[in-house]
Amino acid sequence: MKSFQIQKIILISFSLAIFLFSCSEKEDQLFDVKEEVIPQTADIKDTPVLTFNTRADYDAIFTNPQLLEDKSKANKSFVSLKSRIDGFRSGDGLRNSTLQILEDTLFEGYGMLPKILNKDRIVKIGKHYIKIDLLEERALVLKEEHADQYTDLAASNIENENIMLFSTNDEVLELLSIGSTGKVQRIKNSCGDPTAVRKNCDPFSYNGNRRRLKAKVVYQRAAIYFSVLANAKAEKRRLRIWSRDRNATCNTNYDFRFGLKCGRAYNEQGSVFSSSGEATYRPYEGTTSLAYYRLAADLSSSNASRILSCLIQDNF
């Protein structure tokens, strides 16, 4: 947990640096922006969410991602969290509050999740509106019968007694299916499987002062989304800011073994190569957490002076 808190601090510091750099590049735009308070949320009628009628409908997008793309396109007024993050990266999001930008960028690297959530970080699954808050490591849930209180959910108003709180470590959809109101922290499985905890490895390899390899190997837990990631990203420095070097090569070699909670066991080995500065290996993403896992990865790049090796495992 301590390492995750440190990682969040580093993420926030890095995102703030990017924000300030974006501001300097968009200086001409900033002079035209009047000081104003931008509301974070809107009424549900004005803030469309993706709706999955059942748990099965939601599970299906992880085996067939095209279903998510089709659903997003069908809802023409839907604005995903990913779209807002992309807007910030291109400089179009400078009107958003700094805290809001920093909270949003924590979702970068979470695969399909930013495409599922709307700009308030909310999705509707079954009869519940669910907000994911990675910064506070919590999920906030509101029953559809209280949809008129959507603004409170979007604003994370936990004083509202109708908003239920869960940990992002929990399988929230499973907890809701057994009638939990947020007080249950762990599910007692009939199969007796344990629940694996989050582990991560985030080393760097520098090649001089202006080029480096940034590696990330992590088991991600986000209440309605669980995933494993091994990522090698080549970066270059400009004006003290590190950004992706699209002219560099990256390679990720992996050996991964894991078991789904109360489910199948898997193992696979291989490699991912990229000539555009980033090589990503994501062997699993879904709504079921892992019972155990072991991921060994060697990550390399033309921007690095050495190969980086990572090993994360739990209950293995």
Side-chain angles (χ1 to χ4, degrees):
M1 181 64 69
K2 184 178 293 184
S3 63
F4 186 43
Q5 295 295 336
I6 294 173
Q7 181 189 18
K8 288 198 299 183
I9 293 172
I10 293 173
L11 263 173
I12 291 173
S13 300
F14 176 74
S15 300
L16 180 59
I18 292 289
F19 174 72
L20 294 174
F21 177 60
S22 298
C23 289
S24 67
E25 288 197 327
K26 299 291 179 177
E27 198 172 27
D28 56 328
Q29 296 180 18
L30 289 176
F31 286 125
D32 296 329
V33 177
K34 294 182 179 180
E35 191 171 335
E36 57 182 325
V37 177
I38 306 297
Q40 180 178 354
T41 63
D43 187 85
I44 191 170
K45 298 188 296 296
D46 305 315
T47 314
V49 300
L50 287 188
T51 298
F52 300 89
N53 294 326
T54 66
R55 164 78 180 270
D57 290 340
Y58 180 63
D59 283 337
I61 65 174
F62 295 103
T63 54
N64 184 2
Q66 186 59 45
L67 294 175
L68 176 60
E69 298 298 326
D70 294 343
K71 182 178 284 289
S72 299
K73 290 178 181 177
N75 191 339
K76 298 185 183 302
S77 55
F78 172 70
V79 178
S80 71
L81 178 59
K82 184 179 186 305
S83 296
R84 190 163 74 172
I85 294 172
D86 291 345
F88 153 61
R89 291 302 183 199
S90 67
D92 296 332
L94 293 177
R95 286 174 176 265
N96 294 324
S97 72
T98 304
L99 178 60
Q100 187 178 75
I101 291 172
L102 297 182
E103 290 179 338
D104 287 351
T105 54
L106 289 174
F107 287 83
E108 290 186 305
Y110 272 74
M112 294 173 65
L113 186 59
K115 297 180 181 179
I116 294 168
L117 303 176
N118 73 355
K119 63 181 184 177
D120 292 326
R121 310 178 205 111
I122 293 173
V123 62
K124 185 171 184 284
I125 303 173
K127 297 182 178 181
H128 297 91
Y129 292 93
I130 304 172
K131 176 176 181 176
I132 305 301
D133 183 349
L134 290 182
L135 186 63
E136 299 296 335
E137 299 179 44
R138 64 187 181 181
L140 299 86
V141 180
L142 184 71
K143 292 181 179 179
E144 66 176 357
E145 63 196 68
H146 301 302
D148 60 323
Q149 297 165 34
Y150 174 89
T151 301
D152 276 351
L153 179 65
S156 300
N157 179 15
I158 58 176
E159 297 299 320
N160 185 329
E161 61 183 12
N162 291 320
I163 293 178
M164 299 177 282
L165 286 176
F166 296 85
S167 165
T168 49
N169 292 322
D170 296 328
E171 286 186 35
V172 168
L173 297 180
E174 190 70 19
L175 288 170
L176 291 173
S177 73
I178 61 175
S180 173
T181 59
K183 297 178 181 179
V184 178
Q185 293 302 309
R186 290 290 179 267
I187 305 168
K188 293 183 179 179
N189 306 306
S190 58
C191 66
D193 278 354
T195 300
V197 301
R198 182 187 189 276
K199 297 288 181 69
N200 63 285
C201 175
D202 306 281
F204 291 86
S205 175
Y206 288 82
N207 187 357
N209 295 324
R210 298 188 176 276
R211 298 187 186 279
R212 72 181 184 183
L213 168 62
K214 178 182 179 182
K216 176 182 284 294
V217 179
V218 61
Y219 171 39
Q220 300 168 322
R221 300 167 61 98
I224 59 171
Y225 175 89
F226 298 85
S227 180
V228 178
L229 170 71
N231 176 261
K233 183 177 181 181
E235 295 187 327
K236 59 184 178 180
R237 192 178 71 166
R238 175 173 174 260
L239 299 178
R240 298 180 180 272
I241 301 298
W242 290 98
S243 60
R244 179 177 170 182
D245 185 352
R246 296 182 179 275
N247 296 317
T249 60
C250 286
N251 193 65
T252 298
N253 294 312
Y254 57 83
D255 182 346
F256 184 47
R257 305 175 190 187
F258 72 103
L260 293 176
K261 188 163 61 63
C262 300
R264 293 177 53 190
Y266 302 82
N267 70 80
E268 55 185 66
Q269 300 80 35
S271 64
V272 178
F273 175 81
S274 170
S275 59
S276 58
E278 188 167 18
T280 300
Y281 168 63
R282 192 183 296 276
Y284 174 72
E285 55 183 341
T287 61
T288 302
S289 62
L290 304 186
Y292 67 88
Y293 63 90
R294 180 186 187 276
L295 174 55
D298 290 328
L299 308 103
S300 58
S301 169
S302 57
N303 274 23
S305 58
R306 62 186 178 91
I307 295 175
L308 296 175
S309 296
C310 280
L311 171 65
I312 59 170
Q313 62 182 358
D314 190 50
N315 293 335
F316 188 78

